[in-house]
Amino acid sequence: MNRRNALRRTALLAGSAVAAPTLLSLLQSCKEQKRVDWVPQFLNQEQAVFVSSFVDTILPKTETPGALDVKVDIFMDLMYAKTYDENGQKYVVEEIDKFNANCKDEYGDVFANLSTEDKTAVLKKAEAETAKFNPGVWGTAVGEQKPVGFYRQLKSMALWAYFSSEEVGKNILSYDPIPGAYLGCIPLSDVGNTWSL
Amino acid sequence: MANFNIDAKQDMTYDAIVIGSGISGGWAAKELCEKGLKTLVLERGRIVEHVTDYPTMTLDPWDTELRGSLTPEQKAKHPKGIRSGFIGANNEHFHANDVENPYTEVKPFLWVRAHQMGGRSLLWGKQCYRWSDLDFEANLKDGHGVDWPIRYNDLAPWYTHVEKFAGISGEALGLPQLPDSHFLPPMELNCVEKHVKERIEKEYNGRNMIIGRVAHLTEPINGRGKCQFRNRCDRGCPYGAYFSSNAVTLPAANATGNLTIRPFSIAQSIIYDDESGKATGVRIIDSETGEFMEYHAKIIFCNASTLSSTQILMNSTSDRHPNGLGNASGELGHNLMDHTYRVGAMGKVPGFEDQYYKGRRPNGIYIPRYYNLDEQTKTDNFVRGFGFQGSGGRAGWGAGSNQENFGADFKDGLMKPGPWEFFITGFAECLPNHENKVYLNKEVLDKWGQPTLSIDAEWGENELAMNKQIRKDAKEMLERAGLQDITDFDNEHEMGYGIHEMGTARMGRDPKTSVLNGNNQVHGANNVFVTDGACMTSSSCVNPSLTYMALTARAANFAVSELKKNNL
């Protein structure tokens, strides 16, 4: 068995381990709502729990840190608080609530409380239904960009928040702030991972 | 009458005044100071000292709270400029405030401005190409616009002069339509660019692909360091490796002891003396106090940037020049040009998965013009031509947004570089068209109560015909070069996006049809010179800044020699 499959199996096991307390909280109905252990600046508790759970599902911990290890959820809350205008903020709140409402309709609970299988099903459906980003040249998308919808915006922001974090940028990706020269053709093995900058 | 004003008047009198400190203003200051003239540079914005005033130059994304994102308050200052896609938190402080400096888009037009010492020389793309006689003779040959009063040979020594001091890296090609510069060693193409180059040059007789020619040092010169390949140029370069006024021309001017820079000085108009037929100075508004002041000089170089220089000339009315300085022809404000941009194609290049590169090269590839060079390359679809710029590289983690995947393998997969991608976009020449114009708008005033500009310009049939050809050719070239998943595109965009605005105070042979003569002197005000983009008689398809530098050095040399002969 190759290493990648081994990793996948471990992840699945980790997933089912998480499922047990979730089931428990379902049984206890809404008495013990999940809470994040940080203080959101913009989101309410339920929305913050959603963002945490979402980014953890997209970018879980493996041999490398997961989204929560580098505080992607906390950073996204900060982005909503400080870089979104009023309309943007309103949109985020409405879309998170809508996303959770859909989860409740289809699977009986908000996203964070779903089983790994159900979360996977929800995200797979969102992937298929949401438009993609057009490729970009020099800072703008080429062609007429269809609205990508909330799911892809969220996923894209999670990736950015993760890969632009100090831990990933300096210690996981290949980091070289002052290259000093341009070498146009070198073996990838000399570099390792993607350049972080 | 009391003579209490004499001392003050002396303090306010110089041999030369240069309006603006951007790419061309910096050159005017350097050349005039080095020739011994006490020179005052009027800069409408603040002082930006090389290195010390580059606050973001070494910041990694995680070094700032918002990792380079703009706040709504920052965005609100740039409602127009933000359309360019080039404004981020790391360079926002180098972009002008659109609210304090409004302009009116009669037709959509993007006007990107940078109001500080150094101007847009802190933000430019640094692509530097000599124009050729194909460009200087084009108006005469096909009848669009008026004839340039100069030819390539008039400018060639001045290209060399500025190239040697600015430092242009590139590869000599020996093409008549793209004369070689005085080059520093070229930057390197990466393996995919080398591959595409080979394929294109094999598939198409007479098409070339080269590394871009850029104002970046690949070897140290004059105490400036070489490029470190950080690609953080728009934050200011601590090594002085790329050409900016702040790092190159203004320090040279300052070293002579002849330079004075007055910041926060908005040039309101040029003062003209009807009796002597000469300009005597510049009227400014102190942008901080709102106070009007006058500075005097024997010669004045107007280098405020294309549209701002024209605005100043329009504000400069007198009995002799009732419709603006040098506007007897009625051409002042007309013939606004730019380059088309963002039409092209992109695709993936299979193979080379085990190859990568090191360094963030602030430069791409260039495909010189190949239409209408001679009888063989002539087309009936349009006059003149276009070139391409672009680059190749490997996709990064951003590609993950579009992948229908998530979870553990997805995350770890994004740590490795994605497929090789390559793109090209065309830059087409824009014809001088009298109907493309700017004029003073007295209904909309800026923060200082001054009339603003209305911009009324749009692409013509010839430019749109070239855009069609660009799209077609780009797709075909990438196909024949073996690319896959090719997307061709025409991001229909208004003028201004190229940030190559040219014209509106053109040079010419005849005062009846032009604003400036062959030495960049204003008709009817011989001691006023305009040598920024406003002076351009046509637009070529290659980037214009190097030509502004050469024209400025040439005009400054002429101005000083005329001054010595008492002709000004």
Side-chain angles (χ1 to χ4, degrees):
Chain A
M1 187 163 58
N2 66 31
R3 201 172 62 88
R4 182 151 291 194
N5 282 338
L7 275 177
R8 187 183 291 136
R9 178 163 294 187
T10 320
L12 276 175
L13 283 172
S16 45
V18 173
T22 308
L23 194 63
L24 192 67
S25 67
L26 259 178
L27 292 171
Q28 290 169 337
S29 101
C30 291
K31 276 176 206 159
E32 279 182 48
Q33 257 201 339
K34 278 192 180 174
R35 295 183 67 82
V36 289
D37 60 0
W38 45 277
V39 182
Q41 300 192 36
F42 166 69
L43 300 168
N44 67 25
Q45 271 295 333
E46 188 180 73
Q47 291 151 359
V49 166
F50 166 77
V51 170
S52 290
S53 177
F54 180 90
V55 300
D56 187 39
T57 312
I58 299 278
L59 301 163
K61 185 179 178 68
T62 57
E63 285 177 340
T64 55
L68 299 183
D69 297 314
V70 299
K71 301 183 167 58
V72 163
D73 47 352
I74 300 175
F75 180 67
M76 284 171 66
D77 173 62
L78 176 77
M79 291 299 291
Y80 295 140
K82 296 214 170 167
T83 71
Y84 277 46
D85 63 14
E86 240 174 79
N87 281 340
Q89 290 178 334
K90 192 166 160 260
Y91 174 78
V92 168
V93 166
E94 282 172 4
E95 290 295 319
I96 292 178
D97 292 348
K98 217 190 282 175
F99 203 97
N100 268 335
N102 287 341
C103 289
K104 269 189 188 163
D105 278 354
E106 273 190 61
Y107 297 94
D109 207 338
V110 294
F111 181 78
N113 293 340
L114 300 184
S115 68
T116 304
E117 288 75 16
D118 288 350
K119 278 181 186 161
T120 302
V122 168
L123 296 192
K124 273 197 169 161
K125 190 165 170 239
E127 275 293 350
E129 284 174 354
T130 327
K132 301 207 168 138
F133 289 104
N134 290 3
V137 168
W138 284 322
T140 48
V142 306
E144 201 171 318
Q145 176 70 59
K146 285 187 200 138
V148 293
F150 185 64
Y151 167 77
R152 202 162 306 283
Q153 282 177 29
L154 203 64
K155 182 184 177 188
S156 159
M157 192 172 176
L159 291 182
W160 171 63
Y162 179 78
F163 284 103
S164 69
S165 69
E166 184 162 11
E167 167 63 19
V168 177
K170 273 190 175 165
N171 302 325
I172 310 279
L173 298 181
S174 299
Y175 175 63
D176 189 2
I178 309 173
Y182 184 74
L183 305 174
C185 296
I186 56 173
L188 173 58
S189 52
D190 286 2
V191 180
N193 283 335
T194 305
W195 294 112
S196 70
L197 301 171
Chain B
M1 203 183 194
N3 60 359
F4 58 84
N5 228 3
I6 284 178
D7 283 346
K9 175 130 184 162
Q10 248 170 13
D11 283 347
M12 301 183 98
T13 300
Y14 294 80
D15 295 325
I17 293 175
V18 177
I19 303 170
S21 62
I23 283 175
S24 67
W27 272 104
K30 173 188 175 295
E31 299 295 312
L32 297 171
C33 284
E34 287 183 345
K35 289 178 193 300
L37 270 58
K38 292 286 177 194
T39 303
L40 173 69
V41 171
L42 297 170
E43 167 49 55
R44 70 176 291 148
R46 66 195 164 96
I47 293 284
V48 172
E49 290 273 7
H50 178 50
V51 187
T52 49
D53 288 329
Y54 302 155
T56 59
M57 64 187 179
T58 59
L59 297 182
D60 287 329
W62 46 84
D63 290 332
T64 56
E65 190 192 19
L66 306 174
R67 299 187 197 165
S69 302
L70 294 168
T71 62
E73 294 72 31
Q74 285 174 312
K75 284 182 199 160
K77 286 193 271 179
H78 310 284
K80 293 192 188 255
I82 216 153
R83 278 151 50 189
S84 69
F86 291 135
I87 305 183
N90 291 318
N91 65 16
E92 186 269 340
H93 50 286
F94 289 150
H95 284 268
N97 183 316
D98 290 333
V99 180
E100 291 178 356
N101 302 280
Y103 67 94
T104 302
E105 299 177 71
V106 179
K107 297 188 184 109
F109 188 99
L110 177 64
W111 186 17
V112 175
R113 293 156 295 168
H115 292 164
Q116 70 271 324
M117 176 180 153
R120 291 187 294 192
S121 79
L122 290 166
L123 296 168
W124 67 312
K126 301 166 289 302
Q127 296 281 321
C128 282
Y129 301 92
R130 286 192 184 198
W131 288 23
S132 73
D133 265 337
L134 193 67
D135 302 309
F136 291 110
E137 290 172 357
N139 286 6
L140 179 68
K141 284 188 172 162
D142 63 30
H144 294 279
V146 298
D147 187 22
W148 276 88
I150 57 170
R151 291 292 180 259
Y152 177 70
N153 283 340
D154 296 306
L155 212 49
W158 297 102
Y159 275 128
T160 305
H161 177 79
V162 297
E163 285 160 358
K164 281 184 173 172
F165 195 72
I168 311 296
S169 75
E171 182 191 359
L173 213 55
L175 296 178
Q177 78 271 33
L178 195 76
D180 293 327
S181 291
H182 178 87
F183 286 126
L184 298 174
M187 291 180 183
E188 197 188 339
L189 296 173
N190 63 46
C191 47
V192 151
E193 291 165 341
K194 282 178 188 161
H195 169 75
V196 173
K197 168 190 168 76
E198 258 173 46
R199 291 287 298 260
I200 287 178
E201 291 180 356
K202 198 175 134 206
E203 293 281 328
Y204 296 92
N205 188 23
R207 280 192 210 179
N208 299 276
M209 187 174 128
I210 51 171
I211 185 71
R213 298 172 173 179
V214 279
H216 289 269
L217 303 190
T218 48
E219 282 174 353
I221 53 171
N222 303 327
R224 294 162 55 205
K226 70 187 183 78
C227 178
Q228 298 297 304
F229 294 91
R230 305 181 323 136
N231 198 18
R232 286 176 168 170
C233 316
D234 60 354
R235 309 174 182 195
C237 179
Y239 313 98
Y242 74 76
F243 176 89
S244 69
S245 301
N246 312 60
V248 187
T249 46
L250 293 175
N254 199 37
T256 64
N258 290 327
L259 176 71
T260 304
I261 300 183
R262 190 187 193 285
F264 304 115
S265 305
I266 301 172
Q268 191 271 339
S269 58
I270 292 166
I271 307 158
Y272 184 79
D273 178 34
D274 279 312
E275 238 168 80
S276 64
K278 288 180 189 175
T280 57
V282 180
R283 189 175 293 113
I284 67 145
I285 305 170
D286 185 303
S287 67
E288 294 196 304
T289 64
E291 193 184 352
F292 279 78
M293 302 166 88
E294 292 182 359
Y295 288 91
H296 306 281
K298 295 177 201 130
I299 55 172
I300 293 157
F301 268 68
C302 193
N303 298 85
S305 84
T306 295
L307 298 181
S308 297
S309 284
T310 292
Q311 185 173 4
I312 293 164
L313 295 178
M314 286 175 164
N315 273 334
S316 310
T317 52
S318 58
D319 287 344
R320 172 92 177 271
H321 297 274
N323 300 314
L325 197 63
N327 193 22
S329 63
E331 291 296 331
L332 183 66
H334 291 271
N335 311 296
L336 174 58
M337 300 167 282
D338 184 30
H339 288 143
T340 75
Y341 175 49
R342 292 181 175 167
V343 186
M346 63 201 312
K348 293 194 172 71
V349 184
F352 306 96
E353 278 81 14
D354 56 351
Q355 298 289 296
Y356 208 15
Y357 39 78
K358 172 192 163 82
R360 303 187 293 283
R361 191 189 61 198
N363 184 17
I365 61 95
Y366 193 72
I367 298 174
R369 174 176 160 182
Y370 49 82
Y371 278 112
N372 294 326
L373 307 178
D374 49 29
E375 274 310 307
Q376 267 188 322
T377 55
K378 196 175 164 354
T379 170
D380 293 331
N381 294 340
F382 49 84
V383 298
R384 315 207 183 176
F386 52 82
F388 284 98
Q389 299 184 32
S391 70
R394 295 193 73 162
W397 49 261
S401 300
N402 275 350
Q403 288 171 15
E404 290 193 18
N405 202 357
F406 48 84
D409 286 354
F410 168 74
K411 185 195 75 175
D412 290 333
L414 290 178
M415 309 281 183
K416 299 287 178 202
W420 283 91
E421 297 167 336
F422 181 84
F423 78 92
I424 45 175
T425 72
F427 284 71
E429 174 160 1
C430 174
L431 294 177
N433 172 358
H434 183 80
E435 296 309 314
N436 284 338
K437 60 187 181 288
V438 298
Y439 50 88
L440 288 181
N441 182 343
K442 293 179 178 160
E443 306 292 314
V444 178
L445 304 180
D446 67 14
K447 188 186 169 188
W448 301 272
Q450 295 301 303
T452 55
L453 282 183
S454 284
I455 308 180
D456 181 359
E458 63 185 345
W459 301 123
E461 277 174 28
N462 200 61
E463 289 90 69
L464 297 176
M466 274 197 274
N467 279 354
K468 269 189 193 163
Q469 191 76 47
I470 287 170
R471 182 174 187 164
K472 190 167 163 270
D473 284 9
K475 182 167 184 256
E476 190 194 84
M477 269 192 278
L478 298 197
E479 277 167 0
R480 283 169 70 173
L483 273 73
Q484 297 172 351
D485 299 332
I486 295 167
T487 307
D488 57 309
F489 55 88
D490 180 352
N491 278 11
E492 291 175 11
H493 58 282
E494 59 260 32
M495 284 178 75
Y497 268 83
I499 324 184
H500 290 170
E501 59 271 16
M502 284 174 269
T504 65
R506 68 181 173 193
M507 295 169 78
R509 295 176 186 273
D510 183 351
K512 289 192 187 106
T513 58
S514 61
V515 180
L516 310 171
N517 69 13
N519 294 305
N520 297 77
Q521 293 169 289
V522 171
H523 293 309
N526 269 351
N527 63 337
V528 179
F529 295 80
V530 181
T531 66
D532 59 19
C535 77
M536 304 301 271
T537 313
S538 69
S539 75
S540 177
C541 67
V542 304
N543 302 52
S545 300
L546 183 69
T547 300
Y548 306 163
M549 297 190 212
L551 283 168
T552 304
R554 176 175 174 269
N557 182 61
F558 174 82
V560 174
S561 84
E562 288 293 286
L563 202 58
K564 282 184 182 153
K565 292 182 213 155
N566 287 321
N567 288 343
L568 292 179

